[in-house]
Amino acid sequence: MTSFIQTSPARTLSNAVRDHHIAAEAPFSTVIKKGQVVRIEDSYGQQAVDTLFYNADDFSERYSSQDTMREQGAAYISTGTKVISNEGRVMLTVTADSCGRHDTSAGACSCESNTVRFGHYTKYLHACRDNFVIEVSKHGMSKRDVVPNINFFMNVPIEPSGEMTIVDGISAPGDYVELTAEMDVLLVISNCPQINNPCNGFDPTPIRVLVWDGEAA
Amino acid sequence: MMHIRRSPEEIAANRARYEEHQKKGLDFAPKALPGKSGKPAPALAAEQIVHQEKLPGGWYWWTRVKANEVLRIALDEGFSTVSVVAWNAADPSERMNLPDTVKVQWTTGLGKGRVIFSDMGKVMFSISEDSCGAHDVLMGGSTASSNARKYAGANGPALRNTRDNLVLVATKAGLDKRDIPAALALFAPVRVDAEGKFQWKPELVSDGDYVDLRAEMDMIVGFSNCPHPLDPNPVYAPNPVIITRIAAAEPAVDDLCRTATAEAVRGFENNAFAAQ
């Protein structure tokens, strides 16, 4: 785990309004207010952070991978990407990214898809979809509300032929992505527990989530 | 913070296993697939046709299908793009999942021999015939705002869009907009270039192309016939699409879609177990 990296003179560790350390494999959620900046930090490197966003005032409006890819005309997420909802509105904007490669095509691992991908014997392994269901259920939602997500720091190149495979992540310890909220959003994270593919080097690690108020943005 | 790292031996073993799956998925599985179906589509006897729908450009349609029935979607009246969504009829909380579909089959390219998965690790559709192989799993359909940008100056309300169509499909099927999954766009020749940018390759689709989707469970299936957001045609002019619901027939034991890949075999094992 690395020490704090300052991305703006206004943003310091001491003026962060929240500083969450999220254990390897764990779920997490918090509300990010409009104007706040959230940093998701890959503290140890090569950890996939499966992430969903919901409009904090109306959970039926939520992250849409297809709308996000369509609006930017590209398959990967990086600085400048507008995170778009199913209502076509901008939820957040990616304002900093020290990694440069994030996926939103491959979705979240699940016990059920693991049986198909890796064999039935992998069914009883902790999985992101279970994390998401546990976490959104705290907010009155269910599996119906778990939609295709962003995988921060996950490296999933798509070839012109269509070939698509999860390969080793390129994120180093301390790499981060920062997003500015354009509406009040519920952030939901599964700190990916998958140990059957290289999305986290087969070795899930803790991450950190920091939030700053608008004036420190 | 507490964190127990896995041992190098454990990591090496998991990596070796992944690379074996990857090699099978990338190198061997595509070779087992036959390529595109020939044109024209095989003729159907009258008694095979349960229902035929001519879906006008800009409109939506939904239907229920039984396991082993086939939905043939055909461009007999010219080019169009057709978005598809599906729910398990017995439990609509189970629905089409495109990220799982592409991830478990190691490709965003769907064509004859591939299958489409639900979020519960089961197969919803087998792509039993496909003359085209150019479909989009990533970008989904049009919206009111994407239409407004693309067809500036045109009459807004006349420009029906896939997002609104799928809200109508979902609600008329007793569901709501929370239930709308990411949509598969058939006859949408989208490719991803080295920088991750989407490209439209019109040469990959032609008139008379068709796709046969065999239902692998009882389902609610929704369609929207609207131009794809990347379709460069500046005129909003989707052609009608012919959708035929074909009577069920039991697939052969060596059925291509059920046997072509290790992933499909395990998916169908999940279907069989759930049906018991």
Side-chain angles (χ1 to χ4, degrees), chain A residues 76-96:
Chain A
Y76 312 121
I77 307 276
S78 188
T79 307
T81 299
K82 292 183 183 339
V83 172
I84 309 287
S85 76
N86 59 336
E87 302 292 353
R89 300 202 298 158
V90 182
M91 306 185 85
L92 310 95
T93 304
V94 180
T95 43

Side-chain angles (χ1 to χ4, degrees), chain B residues 12-143:
Chain B
N14 283 349
R15 179 178 292 280
R17 202 162 53 234
Y18 177 73
E19 287 173 353
E20 194 185 324
H21 285 300
Q22 188 182 38
K23 193 165 182 53
K24 283 182 190 157
L26 292 178
D27 297 347
F28 305 144
K31 293 191 186 116
L33 300 178
K36 296 174 191 174
S37 304
K39 292 205 283 190
L44 296 168
E47 64 269 19
Q48 289 178 279
I49 299 175
V50 178
H51 178 81
Q52 193 163 68
E53 191 77 17
K54 182 170 173 172
L55 177 57
W59 278 83
Y60 65 94
W61 182 61
W62 69 282
T63 186
R64 291 177 183 273
V65 291
K66 299 283 185 194
N68 290 339
E69 288 180 349
V70 171
L71 289 165
R72 172 170 297 170
I73 303 103
L75 302 185
D76 293 342
E77 306 211 0
F79 175 71
S80 224
T81 292
V82 183
S83 297
V84 184
V85 293
W87 297 270
N88 179 341
D91 172 10
S93 76
E94 178 176 11
R95 66 274 313 261
M96 178 187 280
N97 188 299
L98 293 181
D100 282 0
T101 296
V102 300
K103 181 168 53 184
V104 307
Q105 294 180 104
W106 310 88
T107 181
T108 60
L110 296 182
K112 179 172 179 173
R114 295 293 186 181
V115 297
I116 297 169
F117 283 89
S118 77
D119 67 305
M120 297 301 283
K122 292 190 288 189
V123 181
M124 300 190 99
F125 292 109
S126 289
I127 305 176
S128 52
E129 300 291 343
D130 178 9
S131 68
C132 166
H135 314 295
D136 169 39
V137 297
L138 298 174
M139 293 180 70
S142 59
T143 63

